[in-house]
Amino acid sequence: MQLKSFAHAFVLIAAGYQAVDAAPAAAGLKIGHHTTIIHGKMTTLGHHHKTKTGPTKTHAPVGPAPTSAPPPPANPSVPASCHLTKYSKSAVAAAVSSCSNIILDGLQVTGGETLDLSKLKAGANVLFRGTTTFEHANWQGPLVVVSGSDITVDGTGATLDGQGALYWDGKGSNGGVTKPKFFALHYATRAKVTNVRLLNSPVQAFSINGCTDCQIINPTHDNAAGDNAGGHNTDSMDIGASSNVIVSGAKFHSQDDCVAVNSGVGITFTGGSCIGGHGLSIGSVGKADSTAKNTVKNVVFADSTVANSQNGLRIKTIAGGTGSVSGITYRNIKLNNISNFGITIQQDYRNGGPTGKPTTGVPISGVLLENVSGDVTSGAAQVNVLCGSSTSCSGFAFKNVALTGGAPKENCSKFVSVCAAL
Ligand SMILES: *[C@@H]1O[C@H](CO)[C@@H](O)[C@H](O)[C@H]1NC(C)=O
Ligand SMILES: *[C@@H]1O[C@H](CO)[C@@H](O)[C@H](O)[C@H]1NC(C)=O
Ligand SMILES: *[C@@H]1O[C@H](CO)[C@@H](O)[C@H](O)[C@H]1NC(C)=O
């Protein structure tokens, strides 16, 4: 069942890849170079692409799961030293330092070592093929780090397997065994990461940090297996200290935040699907080590769904913290089966449970919710807004927000006029 639905998702992802690629101007960002690798890859996807235009597309045979698909032919323009089929730290380092086109083909990465793509040449292209497996080791990770300028990473049809089940103990990053973080895109500029699929992260999956003008297109985080098996703090994507980042077409199933924007400016998350987890989040904001890391500005979540999750939309600032949150838009969001709060905005966050006493050091200003619909469970509340003062929450607007089920509200701050209507 699971495999089937992911095979289906793969077809959609493959089609989405081309659709997004065809409209770079709309994204307002420079699109990475189109190399022979990418063209070779596109050719292999031609079959899926064709099905997109014909009326028979949705009924066309889906074919085998991506992991068992035959590998695309090797690109003859990539020398053997740039096409790795066996992992070693030194071989990866050599390829990274000398190759503009790198193929990582079914690698088994040694436990306790990072697949280190942090020193990619400017304009380099990395292609994952087959299944990359990360051997078990109790360490911090990350399992993969990517960094550079004008780089592309393409994971179409490939899987990166973190073997989460070997770590899950219900304690996540708050205790238990040490668990590696998974995929870091750090200090990248004009990076384009397409169709990267992370399977079973030990803890947090994608980390986007220190990035400028980056696009993450059709990322997948499949941690469904962790739902009843001790997966915890398995955030699908955490974004921090970044500017002008677009995440489109995400398919995330986790046991913590679907997306958490902890700091940064100009972050867009669109066309995403969140299952399990804690919802589309800002924060928690307020306890980082610098002002920049306690500032979140101009974030849009649009055209997305959140299902079977604790929360739908969530803004959390830390009790006693300092910083600011401004210009947050949630538009065209569909919620389903939300067990805690459909919408929660809280200035009393604390890891392990809210204090119940909101503070004012992280003002939240300019929050627009537009066209948000769906249902919460009978024990849940549709809205919870806990603000410290009339100035710490300002400029809130709810337009066409229509949720059903549960209680209409738990707390809704006397300082926020939208609460009066609920
Ligand atoms: C609702 O979500 C919970 C997880 O919060 C899940 O266990 C349950 O199966 C979901 N119910 C339906 C009908 O999908
Ligand atoms: C409202 O959001 C839903 C998705 O939840 C979308 O299908 C619909 O088109 C949106 N309505 C408008 C008027 O944009
Ligand atoms: C709602 O308010 C009550 C009373 O102040 C408080 O005890 C409770 O923790 C609040 N709930 C949430 C979810 O903030």
Side-chain angles (χ1 to χ4, degrees):
M1 197 62 204
Q2 204 57 46
L3 266 178
K4 216 174 182 178
S5 69
F6 273 91
H8 182 64
F10 169 65
V11 173
L12 298 176
I13 285 167
Y17 171 80
Q18 308 213 351
V20 172
D21 216 38
L29 292 175
K30 185 176 182 295
I31 298 295
H33 307 260
H34 288 259
T35 65
T36 49
I37 289 182
I38 302 296
H39 286 304
K41 199 63 203 164
M42 303 262 297
T43 304
T44 68
L45 288 171
H47 161 73
H48 295 302
H49 187 49
K50 257 184 233 142
T51 64
K52 193 177 170 231
T53 53
T56 56
K57 62 173 175 176
T58 49
H59 308 293
V62 161
T67 47
S68 60
N75 190 311
S77 71
V78 176
S81 60
C82 303
H83 182 165
L84 305 187
T85 54
K86 197 169 182 313
Y87 173 82
S88 80
K89 201 177 173 71
S90 58
V92 172
V96 163
S97 69
S98 62
C99 304
S100 295
N101 296 305
I102 299 171
I103 302 178
L104 303 174
D105 206 334
L107 300 185
Q108 178 154 348
V109 179
T110 306
E113 292 186 9
T114 296
L115 177 58
D116 188 350
L117 309 173
S118 66
K119 298 193 173 73
L120 290 170
K121 287 155 71 95
N125 307 288
V126 177
L127 182 62
F128 282 97
R129 279 198 191 146
T131 299
T132 308
T133 305
F134 298 87
E135 290 176 355
H136 174 264
N138 292 116
W139 70 305
Q140 301 280 346
L143 302 178
V144 186
V145 63
V146 176
S147 186
S149 299
D150 302 295
I151 54 174
T152 71
V153 176
D154 184 352
T156 305
T159 292
L160 280 64
D161 185 351
Q163 303 203 84
L166 301 177
Y167 302 85
W168 296 329
D169 56 9
K171 295 179 178 161
S173 44
N174 292 322
V177 300
T178 307
K179 305 170 188 75
K181 296 188 179 195
F182 206 149
F183 187 102
L185 178 67
H186 284 184
Y187 307 105
T189 303
R190 294 177 303 277
K192 185 181 174 193
V193 175
T194 306
N195 292 344
V196 168
R197 175 173 188 258
L198 305 184
L199 177 66
N200 297 338
S201 66
V203 270
Q204 294 85 359
F206 288 98
S207 166
I208 312 299
N209 208 278
C211 294
T212 304
D213 298 336
C214 291
Q215 298 180 73
I216 299 97
I217 300 164
N218 299 337
T220 297
H221 176 216
D222 176 5
N223 253 46
D227 274 353
N228 298 305
H232 194 64
N233 301 133
T234 54
D235 309 32
S236 290
M237 182 177 282
D238 294 315
I239 302 175
S242 295
S243 62
N244 206 7
V245 170
I246 295 179
V247 181
S248 64
K251 295 215 182 323
F252 290 160
H253 187 149
S254 73
Q255 294 83 32
D256 206 313
D257 293 307
C258 176
V259 186
V261 179
N262 294 308
S263 64
V265 57
I267 314 294
T268 299
F269 179 89
T270 181
S273 143
C274 301
I275 299 176
H278 299 174
L280 295 170
S281 304
I282 300 290
S284 56
V285 180
K287 272 280 160 64
D289 57 8
S290 71
T291 305
K293 288 185 186 169
N294 289 322
T295 303
V296 179
K297 190 174 176 183
N298 298 345
V299 178
V300 176
F301 297 96
D303 305 312
S304 295
T305 58
V306 183
N308 304 353
S309 297
Q310 284 186 13
N311 306 291
L313 319 181
R314 184 188 202 195
I315 301 175
K316 41 181 172 161
T317 70
I318 295 173
T322 57
S324 69
V325 172
S326 62
I328 310 300
T329 300
Y330 289 95
R331 181 182 292 122
N332 301 346
I333 311 284
K334 181 92 177 167
L335 309 180
N336 175 232
N337 184 28
I338 303 298
S339 62
N340 199 3
F341 298 117
I343 296 161
T344 177
I345 302 174
Q346 50 174 144
Q347 290 185 316
D348 68 334
Y349 182 80
R350 182 181 52 184
N351 194 10
T355 64
K357 296 194 177 72
T359 62
T360 60
V362 189
I364 302 172
S365 60
V367 175
L368 171 62
L369 271 59
E370 190 171 17
N371 186 23
V372 175
S373 63
D375 57 86
V376 305
T377 63
S378 57
Q382 295 168 18
V383 178
N384 172 63
V385 177
L386 214 58
C387 291
S389 76
S390 58
T391 50
S392 71
C393 288
S394 62
F396 283 30
F398 287 12
K399 297 181 182 169
N400 192 14
V401 171
L403 299 178
T404 60
K409 60 186 171 187
E410 173 151 340
N411 296 309
C412 207
S413 178
K414 63 183 176 186
F415 303 119
V416 178
S417 59
V418 292
C419 290
L422 300 170

